[in-house]
Amino acid sequence: VERIYAQVLRQAQAAKIDAQVVPCGAYRRGDALCGGLTLVISFPGDGAVEEVAAAYIKAMDDILVADLSGAATTASAVRVPGDDDPTDSAQACLGVVRGCPVDGEPMRYRRCDFVFCRHNSLPFVTLQWTGSDGGLFNREMKRIAALRGFHLSHTYMCKADREGTRGRQVGEVCRTGAKIFCEDERAIFAAIGLPYRPPERREVDAELLRLVEEAAKEAPEALRMVKMEFQGSDLRPCASSVS
């Protein structure tokens, strides 16, 4: 995995692409037996990443041998499934890469997903694609955020006014505020009132479930305060897919 990561960096540097690369997935969680790799690649600037993602994928021609996205006959990035950001600030290329054998090792191929985003989305994207516990940790973290008056997306976070919240059910977003800047993952945890957990501890355990129950009890007051903040504000309604 380390050799593939290093080769990706070398090829991007050779193509003079300005990007930050963070290995995520099971590798970031410390799984010594991980068979695949997710590389989160962030770029400076704002807005859609389609053009710069295409340039990055082209720079990977020597090692990217298959595109599993099914979007085109040549490797390309597609919109990230589940991303509700209308600015298209994240895209992904689901691929297979050639390994980097040494000392007579046989050639091996690995699943490698490239996830592209802007620098200001990087903490949210690394949080999403570090994952853990079959995605359950991320689901419960997003639930806590919702019960405390936020919407935590793959690529951003904002205050959110909700309707239909009952107990642990988060209801539907009806209004959202401006995106909240978070410098890193620690800032995301802090913003929604959670103690930081390093990647290797991102699992659903008794402590996390206790925090979910606390958030559910606090939700009526938290959401009432959000509604008060939004009163008289000209805030856009969210798409129905946001929840």
Side-chain angles (χ1 to χ4, degrees):
V1 170
E2 289 87 351
R3 281 179 248 158
I4 293 172
Y5 170 54
Q7 182 64 21
V8 167
L9 290 180
R10 283 194 294 270
Q11 294 196 204
Q13 290 166 357
K16 297 182 180 180
I17 298 175
D18 181 12
Q20 181 178 349
V21 183
V22 181
C24 289
Y27 176 78
R28 188 168 181 240
R29 300 195 304 268
D31 184 354
L33 300 178
C34 65
L37 178 63
T38 299
L39 295 177
V40 173
I41 299 130
S42 70
F43 307 104
D46 298 304
V49 295
E50 184 175 0
E51 289 187 10
V52 68
Y56 202 97
I57 292 170
K58 183 173 178 58
M60 298 299 114
D61 277 350
D62 290 346
I63 62 170
L64 183 59
V65 298
D67 177 13
L68 307 180
S69 305
T73 55
T74 58
S76 61
V78 297
R79 186 179 177 87
V80 170
D83 179 25
D84 56 36
D85 189 343
T87 64
D88 285 340
S89 63
Q91 291 201 327
C93 176
L94 315 180
V96 176
V97 296
R98 184 181 292 109
C100 304
V102 295
D103 301 328
E105 291 178 345
M107 174 61 73
R108 291 187 175 91
Y109 298 86
R110 283 184 181 267
R111 171 70 182 270
C112 184
D113 296 341
F114 298 84
V115 182
F116 304 99
C117 66
R118 294 296 181 182
H119 286 338
N120 57 6
S121 295
L122 182 61
F124 304 99
V125 177
T126 57
L127 178 65
Q128 177 69 29
W129 270 271
T130 294
S132 199
D133 221 358
L136 297 179
F137 177 83
N138 283 0
R139 184 191 70 184
E140 295 308 309
M141 187 170 175
K142 290 179 178 182
R143 186 192 306 277
I144 293 171
L147 293 171
R148 290 180 171 166
F150 298 93
H151 171 59
L152 178 57
S153 163
H154 295 354
T155 55
Y156 69 95
M157 182 169 65
C158 62
K159 285 288 186 74
D161 183 11
R162 293 175 178 270
E163 297 292 345
T165 302
R166 298 288 186 276
R168 297 173 70 251
Q169 302 303 310
V170 301
E172 297 290 329
V173 173
C174 55
R175 290 182 295 180
T176 57
K179 292 180 180 179
I180 299 170
F181 172 76
C182 290
E183 184 175 3
D184 51 27
E185 288 181 337
R186 287 181 181 274
I188 301 173
F189 279 81
I192 62 176
L194 291 181
Y196 176 73
R197 287 195 183 199
E200 63 273 13
R201 288 199 57 239
R202 292 180 189 171
E203 59 188 4
V204 176
D205 55 17
E207 174 63 14
L208 184 66
L209 294 177
R210 182 185 67 79
L211 291 169
V212 171
E213 293 303 323
E214 282 186 4
K217 291 177 182 177
E218 298 165 357
E221 178 61 16
L223 296 174
R224 186 183 72 83
M225 295 299 294
V226 170
K227 287 182 184 295
M228 289 179 62
E229 288 182 32
F230 286 172
Q231 281 181 353
S233 299
D234 183 17
L235 297 171
R236 68 174 181 85
C238 270
S240 58
S241 61
V242 178
S243 61

